[in-house]
Amino acid sequence: MSARISSRASADRLARLLNLVPYLLARPGIEISEAAGDLGVTERQLREDLELLWVCGLPGYGPGDLIDMAFDGDRVTIIYDAGIDRPLRLTPDEALALVVALRMLAETPGVANREAVERALAKIEDAAGDQVAAPVEVRLPGDTGRVEQLRAAVESGRALRITYYTAARDETTERVIDPLRVLMVSGRTYVEAWCRRAEAVRLFRADRIDAVTELTELAVVPPQARPQDLSDGVFRPSSELPLITLRIGRGERWITEYYPCERVESDGERWVVSLRVTDLGWARRFVLGLGPDVTVVAPAELAEQVRDAAGAALEAYATPVSRGADPAGQAARQ
């Protein structure tokens, strides 16, 4: 968790530093307090950024290569910008990477201003010229036909009847939903909608919608329905959700990278991890799929469910099936 926060902070600082030089070039002698207000940082943070800029520049990193600044009291002026004010010239690999990224963005559900993305893409392709040797086609994973159907329903304002598989409860249900938007989170496409069955806003993964029918009636979204903030992902752990604790071996340490964990402690060769789950039914299937090098520490109810399910599976495998017997009939008798 702390690693993800640190990575995000570093990315934010890099973007701020790249913006800082042209900002200061356009405002020679600006007061640090005014610049900090414009950039949305504290004066202390801006001074730390300026100290870092002082050791940035061109390869060689000697006098005349590094960014240079002059301070007059609380005012700062860029004296040497190390070429950051020059127009960016893309290499062939950079041009191709940018074209691919923009094409993927243009195809991503939920992009509000697709026309702006396409205009930027056209300008870059025109400027790149022969650097991009062949036409680039980008296809996102998943059922594109289903995604287009969901997107069309949102644009037309129609209600939908869907058959949906809920992995957390391992069940399939039929629902009528009033779509709000189609979006992509962590590489997966979702439709966010008012669910008439749950009487709340819900997210439905497009690849888990087994069937969809556009109704003739218009979508009716209640005033209290609001899109969710998904900037931190779809799953948002809270204190209301069940907390489970597992003791895992080396082969299961990937859990700490894939799921948000509240606690990770070393216990010799094994780790003790605690994480929130949607419900204990999902947790039982999750633990059973991990293998033998995992032990449920808490809650006791989950440990009992896993023990019972594992025991039932072992008993089923231990029961011999006589040759010529009807497996279905024998299973029914058991």
Side-chain angles (χ1 to χ4, degrees):
M1 185 92 67
S2 59
R4 285 198 295 270
I5 295 174
S6 176
S7 175
R8 186 183 308 137
S10 299
D12 291 344
R13 190 178 192 188
L14 175 60
R16 193 168 62 246
L17 289 171
L18 291 174
N19 181 55
L20 185 54
V21 173
Y23 171 86
L24 294 176
L25 283 172
R27 300 164 180 82
I30 189 172
E31 290 189 1
I32 290 179
S33 59
E34 181 182 349
D38 288 347
L39 297 170
V41 297
T42 64
E43 291 187 40
R44 177 181 176 182
Q45 180 63 67
L46 181 56
R47 291 182 185 276
E48 291 177 356
D49 289 345
L50 292 173
E51 290 176 2
L52 180 57
L53 275 180
W54 230 325
V55 294
C56 297
L58 300 172
Y61 307 110
D65 297 322
L66 301 178
I67 294 172
D68 198 7
M69 292 166 282
F71 290 90
D72 181 11
D74 285 336
R75 297 178 178 274
V76 60
T77 300
I78 295 287
I79 298 176
Y80 177 64
D81 56 38
I84 288 184
D85 64 331
R86 300 172 191 168
L88 176 65
R89 297 185 64 85
L90 299 175
T91 67
D93 287 345
E94 290 171 339
L96 181 60
L98 194 53
V99 168
V100 169
L102 285 172
R103 285 201 177 279
M104 181 171 291
L105 183 61
E107 294 299 320
T108 299
V111 174
N113 196 343
R114 187 173 288 101
E115 293 77 11
V117 175
E118 291 173 348
R119 287 197 301 270
L121 179 60
K123 290 180 180 179
I124 292 173
E125 288 180 325
D126 182 61
D130 295 336
Q131 293 189 72
V132 180
V136 177
E137 183 179 2
V138 174
R139 292 187 178 181
L140 297 178
D143 187 343
T144 55
R146 176 61 46 76
V147 172
E148 287 301 323
Q149 188 177 11
L150 294 171
R151 183 186 295 165
V154 172
E155 293 175 353
S156 66
R158 301 286 181 181
L160 296 175
R161 177 177 288 107
I162 64 172
T163 302
Y164 188 71
Y165 171 70
T166 304
R169 296 188 297 274
D170 191 26
E171 66 177 10
T172 299
T173 56
E174 188 172 284
R175 306 161 182 256
V176 174
I177 62 173
D178 301 299
L180 294 169
R181 58 177 175 164
V182 176
L183 66 161
M184 180 171 283
V185 183
S186 302
R188 299 187 185 279
T189 304
Y190 295 82
V191 57
E192 187 173 29
W194 176 262
C195 176
R196 298 184 186 180
R197 177 183 178 185
E199 296 186 342
V201 174
R202 292 287 186 265
L203 277 174
F204 301 97
R205 262 177 56 173
D207 60 344
R208 290 180 178 168
I209 298 177
D210 295 329
V212 56
T213 302
E214 184 173 331
L215 304 179
T216 56
E217 62 182 286
L218 294 175
V220 180
V221 180
Q224 69 270 24
R226 293 288 185 273
Q228 304 174 57
D229 179 9
L230 302 174
S231 55
D232 292 328
V234 174
F235 179 68
R236 290 175 293 176
S238 66
S239 58
E240 290 79 21
L241 295 176
L243 180 69
I244 68 171
T245 301
L246 309 175
R247 183 176 288 108
I248 62 175
R250 183 179 298 273
E252 284 72 32
R253 291 182 182 179
W254 60 267
I255 293 173
T256 61
E257 298 292 334
Y258 194 82
Y259 296 98
C261 296
E262 293 192 3
R263 180 170 65 104
V264 179
E265 295 179 355
S266 176
D267 184 14
E269 289 295 316
R270 298 164 72 83
W271 286 2
V272 176
V273 300
S274 297
L275 62 154
R276 299 284 175 180
V277 296
T278 52
D279 58 53
L280 293 185
W282 180 90
R284 173 178 55 82
R285 295 190 299 275
F286 173 65
V287 173
L288 288 170
L290 291 175
D293 205 17
V294 175
T295 304
V296 177
V297 178
E301 180 184 354
L302 175 60
E304 183 178 354
Q305 290 180 11
V306 171
R307 187 183 307 112
D308 291 346
L314 289 174
E315 183 180 352
Y317 277 104
T319 303
V321 178
S322 59
R323 182 172 299 179
D326 178 11
Q330 184 169 350
R333 290 192 294 275
Q334 292 176 355

